[in-house]
């Protein structure tokens, strides 16, 4: 039997859960059921939400709002046809209910028809004055379509409605950043801060925009205001530390990173930044300590292993460097920069076969830097494969067609490969670019056995006569 009001628990959630544990039946207003179902949906408790809807509809079978919640659950469970059939029924009862269009838009979105979803949300806007949620949904649909301009405008509407809607504020800034409109973001955030001068989130985001524009003094000021607004705001201390690093104020940067550690549990990223500051201060032991703390805190942070690698590489302890670069590669074997570093270490260790393999991996993964082609060619040349060295430099010239280092080295390797005809052609190509012979030393010094030979001198003389 239904209990009297004075016998019921005060809170609908408590009362509902009490009812589920007993055979008693409590009566709830339809609005109470809506609150109950929303509570469970927000906490991901779908089965309890479904029970709330079922019992709610038993007590209030005509409630459109509860049926719309039923649609929401159906969509969540991918029961699209059932959801659409129920929406058709509800639309016949209430043609101007904005929530019906919102749920239809949700279905369209799940089917990747984002344009259709936007059309439906625009219709929903015409039926309600409380449009905050709709603009938020519109913003997300525009993001799905990479329409950052319209997404930005939609999220701005949300912020206008609720200045403490930081999720929408972040999305506005994200859109500005994606559009690379940092000036626009700065103007917007400064306008926002005129009305909300103690909003640490806005100051933090403003500081980041100044950082992107290398306006480090302004960035520091913004992060300081974020800290004044909330002296426990870890993100502001961390970003301030990064700015101080850029300004070469490494001891101050360390203080800010250490503050983040004192406020919350230490993070690997904070340890890594502190280590890099000590490295810049030439304090190798402290840098080493913090880099090891980094990988202890997060053994899967490949950047930590790379930092240790670079430290040992800088002090020419190549055996340890190769050990630690392999740690990084075990975590991210698809990173071309790691393979390039691995190759350079093997070069230093004179492990030329391994260096050859590592350079090939780096190039296959997209590292096309000039240094990579030159070093790789040098490695295969040392291995006595001059023809392979020429081919590697030919590949490099696809990216740097007029680079004289590539051309002059190709001449040398062609001569070593006993191909004087192509060497002559290559040398003439180089001389056409190096009109005043300012870079000829790249050939004569690297290949002295040919640099001052009669063969070379003759080609240079003929070039001077014709030019």
């Amino acid at each position: 039997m239904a209990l009297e009001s004075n016998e019921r628990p005060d809170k609908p959630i408590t009362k509902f859960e009490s009812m589920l544990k007993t055979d008693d039946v409590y009566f709830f207003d339809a609005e109470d059921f809506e609150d109950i179902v929303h509570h469970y949906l927000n906490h991901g408790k779908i089965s309890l939400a479904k029970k709330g809807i079922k019992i709610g509809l038993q007590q209030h079978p005509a409630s459109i709002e509860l049926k719309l919640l039923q649609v929401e659950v159906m969509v969540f469970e991918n029961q699209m046809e059932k959801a659409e059939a129920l929406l058709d029924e509800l639309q016949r009862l209430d043609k101007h209910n904005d929530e019906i269009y919102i749920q239809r838009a949700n279905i369209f979105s799940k089917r990747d028809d984002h344009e259709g979803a936007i059309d439906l949300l625009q219709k929903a806007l015409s039926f309600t004055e409380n449009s905050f949620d709709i603009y938020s949904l519109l913003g997300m649909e525009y993001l799905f379509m990479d329409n950052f301009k319209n997404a930005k405008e939609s999220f701005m509407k949300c912020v206008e409605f609720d200045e403490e809607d930081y999720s929408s504020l972040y999305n506005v800034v994200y859109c500005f950043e994606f559009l690379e409109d940092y000036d626009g973001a700065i103007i917007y955030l400064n306008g926002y801060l005129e009305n909300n001068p103690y909003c640490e989130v806005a100051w933090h985001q403003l500081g980041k925009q100044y950082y992107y524009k290398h306006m480090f003094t302004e960035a520091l000021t913004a992060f300081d205001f974020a800290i004044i607004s909330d002296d426990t705001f870890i993100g502001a201390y961390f970003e301030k530390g990064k700015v101080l690093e850029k300004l070469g104020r490494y001891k101050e940067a360390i203080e800010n990173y250490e503050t983040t550690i004192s406020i919350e549990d230490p993070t690997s990223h904070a340890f890594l930044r502190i280590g890099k500051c000590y490295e810049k201060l030439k304090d190798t032991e402290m840098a080493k300590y913090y880099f090891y703390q980094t990988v202890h805190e997060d053994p899967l942070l490949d950047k930590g292993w790379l930092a240790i690698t670079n430290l040992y590489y800088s002090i020419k302890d190549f055996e340890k460097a190769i050990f630690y670069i392999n740690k990084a590669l075990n975590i991210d074997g698809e990173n071309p920069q790691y393979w390039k570093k691995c190759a350079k270490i093997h070069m230093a260790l004179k492990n030329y076969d391994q260096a050859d393999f590592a350079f090939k991996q780096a190039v296959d993964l997209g590292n096309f830097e000039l240094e990579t082609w030159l070093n790789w060619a040098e490695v295969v040349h040392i291995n006595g494969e001059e023809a392979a060295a020429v081919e590697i430099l030919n590949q490099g010239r696809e990216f740097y067609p007029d680079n004289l280092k590539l051309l002059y080295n190709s001449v040398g390797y062609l001569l070593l490969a006993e191909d004087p005809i192509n060497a002559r052609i290559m040398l003439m190509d180089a001389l056409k670019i190096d009109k005043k012979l300012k870079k000829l030393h790249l050939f004569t010094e690297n290949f002295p056995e040919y640099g001052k030979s009669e063969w070379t001198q003759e080609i240079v003389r003929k070039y001077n006569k014709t030019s």
Side-chain angles (χ1 to χ4, degrees):
M1 66 175 212
L3 300 185
E4 297 299 323
S5 60
N6 59 0
E7 298 175 4
R8 302 176 202 151
D10 291 332
K11 295 182 179 179
I13 304 299
T14 306
K15 184 169 68 172
F16 181 76
E17 292 183 353
S18 174
M19 183 183 76
L20 294 179
K21 295 175 184 177
T22 67
D23 292 330
D24 296 320
V25 178
Y26 299 159
F27 180 82
F28 297 83
D29 291 336
E31 290 81 4
D32 286 340
F33 274 116
E34 290 172 42
D35 291 339
I36 290 165
V37 174
H38 278 300
H39 169 81
Y40 289 129
L41 288 177
N42 290 337
H43 288 81
K45 298 179 178 180
I46 305 302
S47 60
L48 285 172
K50 289 166 76 172
K51 284 182 182 178
I53 292 168
K54 181 179 178 181
I55 297 170
L57 287 173
Q58 286 172 354
Q59 294 187 13
H60 304 280
S63 172
I64 291 178
E65 286 73 19
L66 285 173
K67 289 180 181 179
L68 283 166
L69 287 170
Q70 190 175 24
V71 169
E72 189 173 334
V73 171
M74 288 175 178
V75 173
F76 178 80
E77 295 182 334
N78 288 316
Q79 299 177 30
M80 302 301 184
E81 291 182 5
K82 284 185 178 181
E84 286 183 311
L86 184 50
L87 284 170
D88 290 339
E89 176 188 322
L90 294 173
Q91 196 161 355
R92 285 191 290 271
L93 296 171
D94 186 355
K95 294 181 181 179
H96 304 298
N97 189 313
D98 60 295
E99 189 64 30
I100 293 172
Y101 291 94
I102 290 171
Q103 291 302 330
R104 285 197 188 279
N106 192 14
I107 293 170
F108 274 60
S109 183
K110 282 195 170 258
R111 290 172 174 162
D112 292 328
D113 183 356
H114 301 297
E115 287 186 7
I118 287 169
D119 288 340
L120 287 161
L121 290 170
Q122 295 286 5
K123 286 180 182 177
L125 280 174
S126 65
F127 298 128
T128 181
E129 294 181 359
N130 185 16
S131 55
F132 164 73
D133 289 333
I134 299 175
Y135 278 114
S136 180
L137 293 169
L138 272 170
M140 294 308 300
E141 294 302 318
Y142 283 124
L143 284 181
F144 285 133
M145 296 172 64
D146 292 337
N147 186 336
F148 295 96
K149 181 177 181 295
N150 285 347
K152 177 186 67 180
E153 291 172 0
S154 297
F155 290 124
M156 281 179 174
K157 296 276 189 183
C158 298
V159 177
E160 285 175 20
F161 183 87
D162 179 6
E163 291 182 334
E164 294 186 4
D165 178 14
Y166 298 138
S167 176
S168 291
L169 182 62
Y170 278 122
N171 281 329
V172 170
V173 176
Y174 170 76
C175 292
F176 273 118
E177 289 178 355
F178 198 92
L179 294 166
E180 296 184 357
D181 183 7
Y182 304 116
D183 289 327
I186 289 168
I187 292 168
Y188 176 80
L189 288 166
N190 274 314
Y192 177 90
L193 284 162
E194 285 184 14
N195 297 322
N196 304 274
Y198 296 104
C199 178
E200 70 277 10
V201 172
W203 283 116
H204 177 247
Q205 291 299 309
L206 180 61
K208 290 177 71 174
Q209 306 313 305
Y210 284 130
Y211 181 86
Y212 295 143
K213 288 179 63 64
H214 295 175
M215 298 170 68
F216 299 127
T217 302
E218 292 84 352
L220 275 182
T221 301
F223 292 133
D224 280 336
F225 275 116
I227 291 166
I228 290 168
S229 303
D230 179 1
D231 62 4
T232 64
F233 191 2
I234 289 175
Y237 287 108
F238 195 87
E239 295 294 335
K240 183 181 176 183
K242 287 169 60 178
V243 176
L244 290 165
E245 276 192 71
K246 288 288 186 182
L247 294 171
R249 293 157 60 177
Y250 301 114
K251 290 182 179 179
E252 292 174 74
I254 289 169
E255 290 174 6
N256 278 271
Y257 294 134
E258 286 178 337
T259 300
T260 70
I261 294 171
S262 68
I263 294 172
E264 276 192 8
D265 292 337
T267 66
S268 57
H269 294 287
F271 284 139
L272 180 61
R273 298 287 0 136
I274 293 172
K276 286 184 177 292
C277 287
Y278 277 116
E279 192 173 30
K280 294 285 178 60
L281 290 168
K282 309 297 184 186
D283 191 336
T284 302
E285 289 306 309
M286 287 299 290
K288 191 186 302 183
Y289 170 79
Y290 277 101
F291 289 151
Y292 278 114
Q293 288 289 97
T294 300
V295 295
H296 175 76
E297 188 68 30
D298 183 0
L300 295 179
L301 184 65
D302 46 305
K303 289 180 180 178
W305 297 112
L306 180 65
I308 298 174
T309 300
N310 288 333
L311 186 144
Y312 282 114
Y313 186 83
S314 68
I315 61 175
K316 302 187 184 308
D317 189 340
F318 301 119
E319 292 289 350
K320 285 186 178 178
I322 201 66
F323 175 79
Y324 288 111
I325 195 60
N326 283 329
K327 291 269 193 182
L329 283 167
N330 285 336
I331 297 166
D332 184 5
E334 301 294 309
N335 190 314
Q337 291 296 332
Y338 293 178
W339 281 109
K340 179 186 173 186
K341 175 62 72 173
C342 179
K344 290 179 71 175
I345 299 168
H346 278 304
M347 278 185 75
L349 289 168
K350 300 183 179 180
N351 299 331
Y352 298 117
D353 287 339
Q354 293 94 322
D356 180 13
F357 174 79
F359 276 126
K360 184 178 186 305
Q361 293 295 108
V363 169
D364 287 347
L365 289 167
N367 182 278
F368 306 131
E369 296 171 12
L370 175 63
E371 182 189 28
T372 300
W373 300 111
L374 292 167
N375 286 337
W376 189 13
E378 182 183 351
V379 164
V380 297
H381 154 58
I382 292 170
N383 277 339
E385 302 175 50
E386 276 74 23
V390 171
E391 181 54 36
I392 288 166
L393 293 182
N394 284 340
Q395 292 179 54
R397 285 174 61 214
E398 293 178 15
F399 300 91
Y400 309 95
D402 296 331
N403 185 272
L404 288 167
K405 284 186 179 180
L406 292 173
L407 285 163
Y408 281 132
N409 278 15
S410 293
V411 175
Y413 294 144
L414 282 165
L415 289 170
L416 289 169
E418 299 181 353
D419 187 354
I421 294 173
N422 282 316
R424 180 188 180 89
I425 294 169
M426 190 72 69
L427 181 54
M428 291 301 295
D429 288 342
L431 293 173
K432 288 174 186 175
I433 298 169
D434 189 16
K435 296 183 185 301
K436 296 185 178 180
L437 308 182
K438 289 185 177 180
K439 298 291 184 180
L440 185 60
H441 66 90
L442 294 173
F443 173 60
T444 58
E445 292 175 5
N446 287 336
F447 302 93
E449 65 272 44
Y450 301 114
K452 297 183 179 179
S453 69
E454 183 56 34
W455 180 88
T456 303
Q457 298 303 317
E458 180 188 354
I459 294 172
V460 172
R461 281 196 301 272
K462 286 184 177 179
Y463 169 77
N464 284 331
K465 284 181 182 179
T466 59
S467 61

